[in-house]
Amino acid sequence: MTANLTVKEWVQKCTSLCRPDRVVWVDGSEEQAKAIRQEALSTGELIELNQEKLPGCYLHRSDPDDVARVEHRTFICCEKEEDAGPTNNWLDPKETYETLEKLYDGCMAGRTMYVIPFLMGPYGSPSSKIGVEITDSIYVTLSMLIMTRVGERVWEELGDSNDWVRCLHSKAQLDPENRYICHFPQDNTILSINSGYGGNALMGKKCFALRIASCLARDEGWLAEHMLILGIQPPGGDVKYVAAAFPSACGKTNLAMIIPPEIFQQKGYKTWCVGDDIAWMHIGKDGRLYAINAEKGFFGVAPGTNAKSNYNAMATTQKNTIFTNVALNLDDNTVWWEGMNKTPPEHALDWKGNPWTAESGRPGAHPNSRFTAPSENCPMISPKFDDPEGVPISAIIFGGRRAKTAPLVYQSRDWKSGVFVGSIMGSETTAAATGKVGVVRRDPMAMLPFCGYNMGDYFGHWLEMGERLGDKAPKVFNVNWFRTDENGKFIWPGFGENMRVLEWILARCEGEGGANETPIGFEPRPEDINIEGLDLDVETVRQLLGVDPGLWKEEVKDIRAFYEKFGEKLPKELWQELAQLEERLGLTVAEGAK
Ligand code: OXD
Ligand code: MN
């Protein structure tokens, strides 16, 4: 409990509106968590798994209509529509408060309301921020206990301040028609109703740590980004940190938990995971950019995760983990998902709880089934994980899934062209498997669904951060693990072998590492990528690094069309970057170029 009047008043207001039968103030103690888990077991919200094989692990099944983030029901409710920008759904704040008030009216009758004080970021960090989530979902409460720092200490850090984010969540009737995930940046408030799915309901994650935090970061002069944070320690050297942004389905959690190839391990290379999804980055006293992971756990996609693709993620989920919408192996009361191994259980229930066998042709686990696991389980968790100062970032890496256009890796000329590289990020929808150049979904900085304000202004904020960082700015790179050959087969082995690309990136940060200047930036010469012990020759690396002017001609047309959406809001510096790229590619500067 807290004596903070602003919290007490708000909780009172929400209680009067939602009218729960009972209010529980979550204190973060194991004793209380145990009681809440017992309650969840008795209502069936959690199913206990084999406690010998998977101690402290549970299975949760969501409503089958409520299994993913709902971008079309996610809204930014700022005063002016143009401040939400062309990439967000906008609703008028006053009207939306009125609409939602009606939906929240009495929505918790017969239920318990949990009040969860949570901290995003390490205790004692000037970069951390406080939220309070009210929810009527036990699943959400138990997941928040894993994903964020919860407890009395949060009230102590808050004191009597009014600087905290209000998060009101109700499952209500889980009605998809009346599902709303609404953000009110001017009030530091998030209202979520009619969904129980993680990304919509664990409000510390995308809602607070990205959408609201991106607005706070703009106003306060820092960066709230959809990025993993990885430490790489060369033999006998200091750990260097990189932050990396990728659209979904590009292996972000895998890179966050990368194990260097045998040959690197023998030399003494080590890697450390600081975070897999959200980086808050501030300029430190020494003028460098420092990152903290805003979260305390991992909310990872289960299918495709296995001991080979991500050994560390598998190890992380072996205890105190909540699995959502995976298959239940009835033979030993454990879990299973597609891609875990080649031996699906003989007796199982699918993610909906129906009898299931692999022969049915239906998936056992939902493609977006998840694990919610504590970071302390991760064998390679960084010793700096709880450091209030965060870690200094040497390189920022952007990436996407491009069959042909983007080379394996390139370095931007400077911060400004790095912002350009981030702003044109994208992934091809279906192309990778077929080898054809597919439809590109632009996803600048992997923030398209997560930027809480106009992305044109957001690019401007990135440019301003670069001016403040000056020559202390991290170097900016772009990677693409997904180049395919003429048969549509991936050329680069990916996974742990990506370490070879990281090695070149770090060398560049140290002013070392060879490079060729190309129209799009600096690329390693084929011999600059260490392929020792790899079944690849220098010629193939040359192929991976190729930049096809024909494809880039199409690419710049597409970028121009994308940029035009932002009208006057798009910083002129980015138009200049585009024009310069066109010039370097030998293309005539198109009419209307600014
Ligand atoms: C996530 C996402 O769940 O980016 O992390 O969608
Ligand atoms: Mn994410």
Side-chain angles (χ1 to χ4, degrees), residues 139-310:
Y139 165 71
V140 166
T141 305
L142 291 169
S143 302
M144 285 295 284
L145 283 166
I146 298 173
M147 292 304 296
T148 67
R149 292 160 174 91
V150 174
E152 295 299 312
R153 186 157 171 203
V154 178
W155 295 133
E156 280 163 35
E157 295 222 352
L158 181 63
D160 57 9
S161 162
N162 189 22
D163 186 10
W164 53 280
V165 177
R166 287 130 176 91
C167 310
L168 174 59
H169 167 252
S170 173
K171 294 181 289 184
Q173 284 74 45
L174 295 178
D175 171 10
E177 304 287 310
N178 278 306
R179 192 164 286 164
Y180 286 91
I181 323 296
C182 294
H183 306 73
F184 301 81
Q186 68 284 7
D187 305 328
N188 273 352
T189 295
I190 310 158
L191 303 180
S192 164
I193 190 158
N194 278 309
S195 168
Y197 169 77
N200 306 323
L202 304 182
M203 285 153 83
K205 199 171 180 62
K206 307 298 186 185
C207 299
F208 177 171
L210 292 176
R211 296 195 194 95
I212 292 291
S214 60
C215 296
L216 296 170
R218 168 200 58 192
D219 299 342
E220 298 169 1
W222 50 281
L223 293 167
E225 298 302 322
H226 189 200
M227 290 182 176
L228 64 87
I229 310 165
L230 171 71
I232 302 156
Q233 189 168 17
D238 293 336
V239 186
K240 302 272 185 256
Y241 297 89
V242 303
F246 295 87
S248 354
C250 289
K252 191 153 148 239
T253 303
N254 293 347
L255 186 63
M257 298 187 187
I258 190 170
I259 299 179
E262 199 62 43
I263 208 140
F264 281 68
Q265 288 180 44
Q266 279 159 12
K267 286 186 198 152
Y269 273 90
K270 289 205 177 84
T271 47
W272 304 100
C273 174
V274 184
D276 79 327
D277 201 38
I278 292 165
W280 284 359
M281 300 190 283
H282 291 73
I283 300 179
K285 288 193 198 86
D286 61 0
R288 294 187 65 191
L289 193 63
Y290 283 76
I292 57 166
N293 175 3
E295 302 185 286
K296 191 177 77 75
F298 303 112
F299 182 61
V301 175
T305 307
N306 59 54
K308 200 162 158 252
S309 67
N310 195 336

Side-chain angles (χ1 to χ4, degrees), residues 5-19:
L5 287 179
T6 60
V7 173
K8 281 180 140 175
E9 256 170 44
W10 181 72
V11 172
Q12 186 51 52
K13 208 169 117 196
C14 295
T15 312
S16 309
L17 177 63
C18 303
R19 297 199 298 280

